[in-house]
Amino acid sequence: MAGNVQEFTDATWQSEVLDSDVPVVVDFWAPWCGPCRMLAPTIEKLAGEYTGRVKIGKMDTDQNSNTPSGLGISSIPTVVFFQGGKEVGRLVGVNPEAKFKATLAEMGVS
């Protein structure tokens, strides 16, 4: 993954996302997905801006099927926001950077 963007897997889900002491943003994507590739620069930019305050990463839905199916991810890209191990927000499709920042602000992240 590029820069500050982490890679999450089914194996690391519990420790990296659910047990995280900071908010976590997860971009569910796949390499063949055009809209996912369109969203990637926004995710990378946010990861750089929120370093140390929010953990931002991606999960390849082709390589990891348990977690996405358990969360009811039915289309990609889907970005899910977690705080205290619980889902607190979800954005489906390609969304503008401002929408991500608004969701993070609602979570108390500035």
Side-chain angles (χ1 to χ4, degrees):
M1 296 290 113
N4 298 311
V5 178
Q6 295 186 256
E7 184 170 2
F8 300 125
T9 65
D10 285 339
T12 63
W13 184 255
Q14 182 72 40
S15 62
E16 290 291 334
V17 179
L18 301 182
D19 295 340
S20 177
D21 54 1
V22 296
V24 184
V25 177
V26 184
D27 174 17
F28 291 91
W29 74 293
W32 51 263
C33 167
C36 298
R37 289 194 304 273
M38 289 172 51
L39 183 60
T42 301
I43 296 298
E44 290 167 14
K45 184 174 182 205
L46 291 168
E49 284 184 38
Y50 288 90
T51 299
R53 295 176 288 157
V54 179
K55 193 183 293 188
I56 297 179
K58 299 166 86 74
M59 178 177 275
D60 182 336
T61 57
D62 286 346
Q63 302 296 320
N64 304 278
S65 59
N66 294 340
T67 302
S69 65
L71 291 169
I73 306 292
S74 58
S75 61
I76 53 174
T78 293
V79 177
V80 183
F81 298 78
F82 292 88
Q83 195 163 31
K86 305 277 187 243
E87 180 178 333
V88 295
R90 184 180 288 215
L91 295 173
V92 179
V94 179
N95 287 279
E97 181 182 335
K99 211 163 188 180
F100 292 96
K101 289 184 171 184
T103 303
L104 287 166
E106 289 171 15
M107 295 168 63
V109 178
S110 55

